[in-house]
Amino acid sequence: GQQVMQIPQYQHVQEGEDFTTYCNSSTTLSNIQWYKQRPGGHPVFLIQLVKSGEVKKQKRLTFQFGEAKKNSSLHITATQTTDVGTYFCAGNFGNEKLTFGTGTRLTIIP
Amino acid sequence: SQTIHQWPATLVQPVGSPLSLECTVEGTSNPNLYWYRQAAGRGLQLLFYSVGIGQISSEVPQNLSASRPQDRQFILSSKKLLLSDSGFYLCAWVSGRGTDTQYFGPGTRLTVL
């Protein structure tokens, strides 16, 4: 079946350190989206990547889509306490639904 | 602007009781609608989605069902709840094409005792 694997499951970092989460699909994706879920909240859309090799930045966040459109990454530079939460990638295989990764829970050590 | 509502926000139900969760969207027409379940500390499991009134696609066989009686209303139901039905239920909508951004409602936290 169509699955999206995401690693790591958990990441604990000191405030100011960088953080990266990775997603991989066994088949080519039409696009990949990233969401953030704060503790106790609901997922909120961050960004969508569509083109092969695409790189997008949002302040300290950098999103990449692989050349083969099978993998993606989210990198946060110099983490802050406001970055706490679970980051999900969600792949679209060209149909009406998204397949979410298992998420990476980020905790920040002040 | 578009908004999505879910209720109730929290719910505690005994095993074997029925369930009805409602999701409504405002400010958009003919959205795709989705029901997800999230177990504590886990990822999002797609349960059902709908591309139009009366059209329901089921992703996971279980004792839950979904209905879309109106364009902007999506209902999740069960005749008899199981302990394993506990979780955080999220409704989401997409405007237009299903490949676009999903906007999530605030969710319903269901505890089955």
Side-chain angles (χ1 to χ4, degrees):
Chain A
Q2 295 167 331
Q3 291 185 329
V4 176
M5 308 302 293
Q6 187 173 357
I7 57 170
Q9 188 174 0
Y10 302 96
Q11 188 77 56
H12 312 283
V13 300
Q14 291 276 355
E15 188 175 6
E17 291 183 340
D18 294 354
F19 159 78
T20 305
T21 174
Y22 302 89
C23 278
N24 286 286
S25 169
S26 57
T27 56
T28 302
L29 297 163
S30 293
N31 68 64
I32 194 159
Q33 302 175 19
W34 286 90
Y35 293 78
K36 177 183 179 181
Q37 184 177 25
R38 294 182 182 275
H42 59 274
V44 174
F45 173 77
L46 293 176
I47 209 157
Q48 178 174 268
L49 304 171
V50 179
K51 300 176 182 177
S52 169
E54 189 169 15
V55 178
K56 288 188 176 180
K57 292 189 176 183
Q58 290 179 349
K59 297 182 179 179
R60 294 177 294 104
L61 278 63
T62 302
F63 305 84
Q64 295 188 2
F65 201 11
E67 293 290 340
K69 299 183 69 172
K70 290 184 178 181
N71 57 74
S72 182
S73 65
L74 158 59
H75 179 82
I76 302 178
T77 303
T79 54
Q80 301 175 359
T81 55
T82 53
D83 296 325
V84 164
T86 301
Y87 292 85
F88 292 97
C89 61
N92 182 270
F93 294 93
N95 52 31
E96 300 290 337
K97 57 187 181 180
L98 292 176
T99 301
F100 279 80
T102 48
T104 297
R105 182 182 294 180
L106 173 64
T107 56
I108 306 291
I109 305 168
Chain B
S1 62
Q2 301 90 352
T3 55
I4 179 170
H5 303 279
Q6 281 187 250
W7 63 88
T10 59
L11 191 61
V12 179
Q13 292 285 95
V15 170
S17 63
L19 174 73
S20 181
L21 302 180
E22 189 162 344
C23 170
T24 59
V25 182
E26 297 177 356
T28 186
S29 298
N30 196 31
N32 284 9
L33 296 172
Y34 303 81
W35 276 113
Y36 292 88
R37 177 170 60 201
Q38 186 176 34
R42 304 293 293 275
L44 297 167
Q45 179 187 33
L46 179 62
L47 301 175
F48 302 93
Y49 69 96
S50 171
V51 300
I53 295 174
Q55 300 179 62
I56 307 296
S57 296
S58 175
E59 291 295 301
V60 183
Q62 54 203 320
N63 69 321
L64 298 172
S65 62
S67 62
R68 186 170 177 175
Q70 300 179 41
D71 181 45
R72 288 170 285 180
Q73 184 184 31
F74 205 21
I75 297 172
L76 183 69
S77 304
S78 174
K79 292 182 179 179
K80 288 185 178 182
L81 285 168
L82 305 174
L83 287 173
S84 57
D85 291 324
S86 293
F88 189 36
Y89 287 82
L90 291 156
C91 180
W93 70 273
V94 171
S95 177
R97 297 176 301 143
T99 56
D100 288 340
T101 304
Q102 292 198 4
Y103 297 95
F104 286 83
T108 296
R109 296 196 181 277
L110 171 66
T111 304
V112 182
L113 301 175

